[in-house]
Amino acid sequence: MSALALVRPEERGDDWGTFCAGVRRLAGIDLSLYKRGQMERRVRSFAGQRGIFALDHYVHVLRNDPAELDALLDRVTINVSQLWRNPEQWTLIGRTLLPELAAGGRLTAWSAGCSYGAEAYTLAALCRECLPGARVQIVGTDVDPRMVDRARKGTFSDEDARSAPADALERHFERIPRGWLARPELLRLTRFEVGDLLRLPPRDGAYDLILCRNTVIYFTEPVRDELHSRLARSLRAGGYLVVGATERVSDPRSHGLEPVHPFTYRRQ
């Protein structure tokens, strides 16, 4: 190992920008858009466990070791999810939002920042319960190709299913060793794409419902506000944006949104 790699960060200049640029070239993920304090601590701790304290050296390691790059992405991308996460939000969606939005017999929804698909499949199961006969299309988008590949398979561990109602889980998922597999009827309602929410052009008025939960809390405030603006533009008039239970839309009316329920906004 080079002497440079052993120099601790407090003894060096600011190498964070160089590191972010390197990861952006290697993986297409721009870490500079995340809250620096949280993300930099996470990265430096991870690299430090490997005895590397110079992030420009760590970029060199990542460039030459795909397995290490995958390990870092697992550490810095936020892929914490589960089926029926925040059950109170799903109760609102099922009882109030879906019947209203699908009154015409169809629903188009977007799981923005879908991770490995737990949110999209929960919504698909809820649509099967609440909207029998409706035409439903659910799109999931995530920046991490590995998560999108996993989402397309529709497999979940027992830990992923810990919050799921037992009866709904058994109706919509098949038991497999150490987990669950989405039934074909859910797979037909969902599709998954690789895409960076911060770079995708808005699809004006394309969606009745957008779920973007537990994602923007890691972004800087300007990036968060820009993303909410993009999401709002992608809603049809009267459509809903649902954010995470620890999140909010800053100045929703500037985005054409109206708060109507906790963590829920309607496009004006």
Side-chain angles (χ1 to χ4, degrees):
M1 183 175 296
S2 72
L4 180 64
L6 298 174
V7 178
R8 295 185 177 275
E10 62 269 19
E11 299 170 350
R12 294 177 44 78
D14 184 359
D15 50 1
W16 178 245
T18 301
F19 178 79
C20 290
V23 171
R24 185 167 58 247
R25 288 192 296 270
L26 291 171
I29 296 175
D30 191 347
L31 299 180
S32 68
L33 301 177
Y34 293 75
K35 294 177 181 176
R36 175 168 176 170
Q38 293 177 346
M39 186 59 68
E40 186 175 0
R41 282 193 299 272
R42 187 177 291 130
V43 169
R44 290 195 185 277
S45 173
F46 193 75
Q49 293 169 14
R50 287 140 169 81
I52 301 173
F53 300 99
L55 292 184
D56 44 4
H57 176 77
Y58 193 37
V59 168
H60 177 75
V61 173
L62 297 174
R63 187 180 301 116
N64 291 281
D65 188 345
E68 181 63 20
L69 179 59
D70 277 349
L72 175 71
L73 294 179
D74 281 336
R75 181 70 181 92
V76 301
T77 55
I78 313 302
N79 292 312
V80 177
S81 190
Q82 64 192 73
L83 297 165
W84 276 270
R85 184 179 187 181
N86 301 123
E88 68 285 353
Q89 287 191 309
W90 291 112
T91 299
L92 171 67
I93 291 169
R95 292 181 180 176
T96 304
L97 303 192
L98 293 184
E100 175 188 335
L101 293 172
R106 60 186 303 166
L107 177 86
T108 302
W110 182 17
S111 176
C114 68
S115 186
Y116 50 86
E119 181 178 82
Y121 285 109
T122 302
L123 179 59
L126 209 60
C127 288
R128 294 277 300 174
E129 300 270 348
C130 302
L131 306 175
R135 295 180 60 187
V136 174
Q137 181 183 54
I138 301 166
V139 179
T141 305
D142 199 86
V143 70
D144 190 337
R146 303 164 310 146
M147 292 300 105
V148 172
D149 285 343
R150 180 178 167 187
R152 288 169 178 158
K153 295 181 177 71
T155 58
F156 300 92
S157 68
D158 287 326
E159 180 69 11
D160 295 329
R162 64 189 183 275
S163 296
D167 55 343
L169 189 64
E170 293 178 0
R171 280 196 300 273
H172 300 291
F173 295 81
E174 299 175 8
R175 197 68 166 101
I176 59 175
R178 297 182 297 279
W180 299 86
L181 173 66
R183 294 186 184 275
E185 52 266 31
L186 297 193
L187 295 173
R188 286 194 291 269
L189 299 183
T190 56
R191 63 183 174 87
F192 296 92
E193 303 171 346
V194 177
D196 186 343
L197 299 182
L198 306 178
R199 291 188 173 89
L200 287 173
R203 295 186 60 197
D204 292 349
Y207 298 103
D208 304 298
L209 173 67
I210 297 177
L211 306 179
C212 186
R213 306 187 311 150
N214 310 300
T215 299
V216 304
I217 56 175
Y218 304 103
F219 294 145
T220 65
E221 289 188 7
V223 171
R224 177 201 66 193
D225 294 344
E226 171 62 20
L227 176 56
H228 282 153
S229 179
R230 288 166 170 265
L231 297 176
R233 285 178 55 188
S234 296
L235 281 171
R236 69 164 171 84
Y240 289 95
L241 168 65
V242 180
V243 301
T246 60
E247 299 171 334
R248 67 183 181 86
V249 176
S250 178
D251 191 13
R253 287 177 175 79
S254 69
H255 305 302
L257 297 171
E258 173 190 9
V260 290
H261 301 287
F263 320 110
T264 305
Y265 302 82
R266 181 193 291 124
R267 178 69 189 269
Q268 296 173 340

